[in-house]
Amino acid sequence: MMASERSRHASRKAGAAKWLFITIAVLVQMTPFYLVITTAFKARTDTSSLWLPPFAHATTDNLVTALNGGHLVWALENGLLVTFASTVLTCIVGSMAAYPLARRRTRLNRLVSLLILGVLMVPPLSILVPLYTMFARLGLLNTYGGLILVLTTLQLPLAVFLFTQFMRGLPVSLEEAAAIDGAGLFITFTRIVLPSLKPVMATVTIVTATQVWNEFAMSSYITSTPEMRPLAPAAASFFATQSNNIGAAAGAALIGLVPILVVYLFLQKYFVKGALAGTGK
């Protein structure tokens, strides 16, 4: 009886510690969002603490300044175009590249998989100088094509890895049956394999869209005019050497949060399943 009581007491303590840890983690994660919201709706002349909400003095001036002064409408249009194109290309090319890596366990494919994992460890900024030089010679600077090409390439290694891990867990019986019926490789992939990739496709979509939407360094170097800049470089324009408009920058960040939040809410039921693909192997 005493051992059972001690076990229940230890279980209650472990449960309380778990919920305490979760609560602290949630508070830490939500703190930046709280500060962005309070800052975005404060007047520029408001010198009160960032932790205090604006209460009755809330204003939308920062949002208006972000949309007009920071060319945020252009930035949103550019960001949506680049993010959509990069995400679609990443999903298509990544899934097609992963299919032979998952189904054909040759030495060459194992070497290619290792190289892809190695590319994930390379910092993107380490290739900035040769990349900029090459794009300048090809005339791809300050163009949608150049930006989409770079951001898609940066997202492909992780996408190929996730697709490969997920496909290895899919049964091959349907593909073998399709091959017996005379279906070619492309038909088998598009009609049999691709419909089974919804969970990992959602994961790759969310991860890629988030990374591309928030990307700053490459976008800043490849695009040089306000008409071409996506969201992150446009929001950075509110920070200058002489003066900063923190409220407008917070307003831009708040506006930029909405599209990614909408995408995540629609795809969240697939996200965890796809993210954990292959972890049990």
Side-chain angles (χ1 to χ4, degrees), residues 72-83 144 213 229-230:
L72 207 63
V73 175
W74 287 342
L76 289 172
E77 293 175 353
N78 296 334
L80 288 172
L81 173 62
V82 172
T83 301
Y144 289 122
W213 184 258
R229 285 175 181 164

Side-chain angles (χ1 to χ4, degrees), residues 90 112-127 151-165 207-208 211:
T90 299
V112 172
S113 298
L114 290 175
L115 289 175
I116 290 173
L117 287 176
V119 171
L120 284 172
M121 304 176 191
V122 178
L125 290 180
S126 64
I127 63 172
L151 298 182
T152 300
T153 304
L154 291 178
Q155 301 306 314
L156 273 176
L158 179 59
V160 172
F161 173 75
L162 291 175
F163 279 123
T164 302
Q165 293 299 104
V207 172
T208 303
Q211 293 290 336

Side-chain angles (χ1 to χ4, degrees), residues 188-268:
T188 301
F189 174 75
T190 54
R191 296 188 179 181
I192 303 298
V193 178
L194 202 57
S196 303
L197 300 180
K198 287 182 180 179
V200 70
M201 192 72 74
T203 300
V204 172
T205 297
I206 292 175
V207 172
T208 303
T210 303
Q211 293 290 336
V212 174
W213 184 258
N214 294 324
E215 205 282 328
F216 174 75
M218 290 293 182
S219 301
S220 299
Y221 282 96
I222 293 175
T223 59
S224 57
T225 60
E227 294 83 358
M228 292 296 301
R229 285 175 181 164
L231 182 68
S237 65
F238 292 107
F239 298 97
T241 305
Q242 301 299 325
S243 62
N244 299 322
N245 192 340
I246 303 297
L254 194 60
I255 294 171
L257 173 67
V258 176
I260 289 298
L261 187 61
V262 171
V263 171
Y264 179 77
L265 290 176
F266 276 104
L267 299 178
Q268 62 175 329

Side-chain angles (χ1 to χ4, degrees), residues 22-42:
I22 292 174
T23 302
I24 294 174
V26 170
L27 290 175
V28 171
Q29 292 289 330
M30 293 303 296
T31 297
F33 297 106
Y34 171 77
L35 293 176
V36 165
I37 292 172
T38 59
T39 306
F41 291 99
K42 279 187 177 182

